[in-house]
Amino acid sequence: MISAVLPTYNRAPLAFVKGEGAWAITAEGTRYLDLGAGIAVNALGHANPALIAALTEQANKIWHVSNLYTIPEQERLAEMLVDKTFADTVFFTNSGTEAAELAIKMARKYHYEKGAPRSEIIAFEGAFHGRSTGAIAAAGSEKMTKGYGPLMPGFTQLKWADHDAIRAAITDQTCAVIIEPIQGEGGIRKVPDQCLKGLRDLCDQHGALLIFDEVQCGVGRTGKLFAHEWAGITPDIMMVAKGIGGGFPLGAVLATEEAALGMVAGSHGSTYGGNPLACAVGAKVMEIVADDAFLAEVGRKAALFRQGLESLVASHPKLFEAVRGEGLILGLKCKATNTDIVKAGYAQHLLTVPAADNVIRLLPPLNIPDADIAEALTRLEAAAQSLEA
Ligand SMILES: *Cc1c(COP(=O)(O)O)cnc(C)c1O
């Protein structure tokens, strides 16, 4: 008989009823060190007191207001994002997938309004933009699209970060290029800064819009507020979600005024997007994360963690191949099967997340204490030894 919950996930036999910072706790009181953070969602850890206060305060005022009215919490968060990024304007969603949908619509609408419609969007192998019909068509992998056809037309997938392939494929008919500056699901693959710069140039030459999907790598994860800042260039449109809500469902599409020119009254909408509860939490996350001292701390913690991971890899050459990523979006490229290592981690009460390309992801809360980083390294070492025994 089918389970009451639709069985679309291969779930680990673990259930958590409580959280504290980097720790997730079962009903029996067993504490697991959480290096997944809900896949980069719990950016400030579980049960963060500042976020609880922001949510509770808002819950006592008003929960939901239709976007038919002005929502002050939404305006405030939009202004914070505009202030700290390339963007001139923001639309709020409830998830990364919804952000992908709007990014695609916005790009097509832009060219339509310019009087020369373009629909062709270039994406990349190994990409993940969500599970809607549009987002799976963008990613294009068989794993996500099989059985769901006909797929939304207009997408081409190129070899990941292959500059020559991009140069050959992009034309004056290209509507947009969509790329994760660091692929998350694809295996923590960072697009080289030079390649992002080259992509910006190619988009400019052909009048195509550049869309960055920073749903997983954004919001302080890399030690900058957004990952593309490392490359010194900016997109026209950017998708944000996961970390921005700190665990409350919240996403956003950020855009320049030019890229957003087609998005007039009636052209898009959402019942819940920009909900006061979500935006109150999001504003608190931004207040904490979009701060130079906080981001410098992410960088320092990341260097500490990475150093330990490099020695782990060096001392277990049969299990691991390399450390990948930037800041606290890290990956261990494995030689042994990644899911076996994730399971060995569970036995050490350690949570990590598998990704494609035989990688395990390490995405701890951005404020993980140094002592928990040391504990994580100890438990990873124990997990590695258990596999070699
Ligand atoms: C998680 C993710 C999404 C989809 O976000 P949801 O909130 O699950 O809809 C899109 N893009 C990237 C890069 C992601 O990591």
Side-chain angles (χ1 to χ4, degrees), residues 81 85-87 89-90 226 236-240 252-256:
L81 286 164
T85 67
F86 73 95
T89 186
V90 183
F226 289 102
D236 301 293
I237 299 172
M238 178 167 71
M239 297 148 55
V240 178
V253 175
L254 280 63
T256 62

Side-chain angles (χ1 to χ4, degrees), residues 100-101 104 131-139 152 155:
E101 290 299 311
I104 294 163
R131 298 291 198 146
S132 61
T133 49
I136 61 172
M152 185 187 195
F155 294 95

Side-chain angles (χ1 to χ4, degrees), residues 94-98 128-130 180 185 213 215-216 239 241-242:
N94 309 288
S95 67
T97 301
E98 288 167 73
F128 183 79
H129 302 299
E180 296 155 82
E185 306 300 312
D213 180 345
V215 169
Q216 194 160 152
M239 297 148 55
K242 294 200 167 99

Side-chain angles (χ1 to χ4, degrees), residues 129-283:
H129 302 299
R131 298 291 198 146
S132 61
T133 49
I136 61 172
S141 72
E142 188 184 324
K143 184 176 163 235
M144 277 187 279
T145 59
K146 200 175 173 190
Y148 296 126
L151 295 179
M152 185 187 195
F155 294 95
T156 310
Q157 291 82 27
L158 302 181
K159 210 164 142 256
W160 178 75
D162 179 338
H163 193 73
D164 293 333
I166 302 166
R167 195 197 303 274
I170 197 166
T171 70
D172 289 351
Q173 283 307 305
T174 303
C175 169
V177 176
I178 182 169
I179 190 166
E180 296 155 82
I182 302 177
Q183 275 193 353
E185 306 300 312
I188 313 296
R189 297 197 293 178
K190 182 180 196 280
V191 181
D193 292 346
Q194 274 312 109
C195 186
L196 276 192
K197 280 191 191 133
L199 197 50
R200 177 72 270 178
D201 290 342
L202 285 173
C203 284
D204 289 343
Q205 280 163 29
H206 294 279
L209 296 178
L210 181 55
I211 304 172
F212 284 161
D213 180 345
E214 292 229 16
V215 169
Q216 194 160 152
C217 61
V219 193
R221 215 24 58 210
T222 63
K224 300 245 188 222
L225 187 56
F226 289 102
H228 68 265
E229 292 172 30
W230 289 103
I233 47 105
T234 58
D236 301 293
I237 299 172
M238 178 167 71
M239 297 148 55
V240 178
K242 294 200 167 99
I244 186 76
F248 201 95
L250 175 63
V253 175
L254 280 63
T256 62
E257 184 171 9
E258 171 77 7
L261 65 78
M263 305 311 294
V264 296
S267 63
H268 194 64
S270 170
T271 295
Y272 292 120
N275 167 287
L277 292 171
C279 288
V281 179

Side-chain angles (χ1 to χ4, degrees), residues 5-363:
V5 174
L6 192 72
T8 58
Y9 277 89
N10 243 327
R11 294 171 195 270
L14 292 169
F16 301 104
V17 297
K18 199 172 143 57
E20 283 171 19
W23 297 84
I25 303 158
T26 67
E28 296 76 38
T30 308
R31 297 166 66 85
Y32 283 73
L33 185 47
D34 183 5
L35 300 186
I39 315 193
V41 168
N42 302 113
L44 298 174
H46 297 286
N48 183 289
L51 299 191
I52 292 174
L55 181 62
T56 319
E57 192 188 324
Q58 187 59 45
N60 281 304
K61 289 186 193 160
I62 194 163
W63 286 25
H64 179 77
V65 180
S66 166
N67 280 306
L68 292 170
Y69 310 102
T70 299
I71 302 176
E73 298 76 21
Q74 189 182 129
E75 308 251 317
R76 174 157 178 261
L77 178 55
E79 277 159 21
M80 291 170 97
L81 286 164
V82 164
D83 190 46
K84 296 284 185 185
T85 67
F86 73 95
D88 301 312
T89 186
V90 183
F91 183 92
F92 291 105
T93 67
N94 309 288
S95 67
T97 301
E98 288 167 73
E101 290 299 311
L102 174 55
I104 294 163
K105 285 174 72 175
M106 186 186 282
R108 287 185 174 168
K109 191 73 166 3
Y110 169 80
H111 294 288
Y112 175 85
E113 294 292 339
K114 284 282 192 176
R118 301 183 182 190
S119 61
E120 292 299 319
I121 297 178
I122 292 175
F124 294 90
E125 287 174 1
F128 183 79
H129 302 299
R131 298 291 198 146
S132 61
T133 49
I136 61 172
S141 72
E142 188 184 324
K143 184 176 163 235
M144 277 187 279
T145 59
K146 200 175 173 190
Y148 296 126
L151 295 179
M152 185 187 195
F155 294 95
T156 310
Q157 291 82 27
L158 302 181
K159 210 164 142 256
W160 178 75
D162 179 338
H163 193 73
D164 293 333
I166 302 166
R167 195 197 303 274
I170 197 166
T171 70
D172 289 351
Q173 283 307 305
T174 303
C175 169
V177 176
I178 182 169
I179 190 166
E180 296 155 82
I182 302 177
Q183 275 193 353
E185 306 300 312
I188 313 296
R189 297 197 293 178
K190 182 180 196 280
V191 181
D193 292 346
Q194 274 312 109
C195 186
L196 276 192
K197 280 191 191 133
L199 197 50
R200 177 72 270 178
D201 290 342
L202 285 173
C203 284
D204 289 343
Q205 280 163 29
H206 294 279
L209 296 178
L210 181 55
I211 304 172
F212 284 161
D213 180 345
E214 292 229 16
V215 169
Q216 194 160 152
C217 61
V219 193
R221 215 24 58 210
T222 63
K224 300 245 188 222
L225 187 56
F226 289 102
H228 68 265
E229 292 172 30
W230 289 103
I233 47 105
T234 58
D236 301 293
I237 299 172
M238 178 167 71
M239 297 148 55
V240 178
K242 294 200 167 99
I244 186 76
F248 201 95
L250 175 63
V253 175
L254 280 63
T256 62
E257 184 171 9
E258 171 77 7
L261 65 78
M263 305 311 294
V264 296
S267 63
H268 194 64
S270 170
T271 295
Y272 292 120
N275 167 287
L277 292 171
C279 288
V281 179
K284 185 53 76 177
V285 170
M286 275 295 288
E287 220 178 278
I288 295 170
V289 173
D291 170 75
D292 290 341
F294 182 90
L295 292 169
E297 265 294 282
V298 173
R300 189 191 59 76
K301 288 173 189 297
L304 187 71
F305 196 17
R306 192 172 189 121
Q307 195 177 32
L309 293 172
E310 298 283 2
S311 26
L312 177 83
V313 169
S315 47
H316 300 282
K318 290 210 179 86
L319 297 179
F320 303 112
E321 200 172 304
V323 184
R324 289 181 174 179
E326 179 81 60
L328 289 175
I329 175 165
L330 292 166
L332 288 170
K333 166 80 174 161
C334 303
K335 279 189 192 152
T337 306
N338 60 348
T339 47
D340 289 345
I341 301 176
V342 170
K343 278 187 194 139
Y346 293 156
Q348 304 300 326
H349 298 166
L350 181 77
L351 306 180
T352 61
V353 184
D357 205 23
N358 203 29
V359 163
I360 69 175
R361 272 178 281 182
L362 310 169
L363 308 157

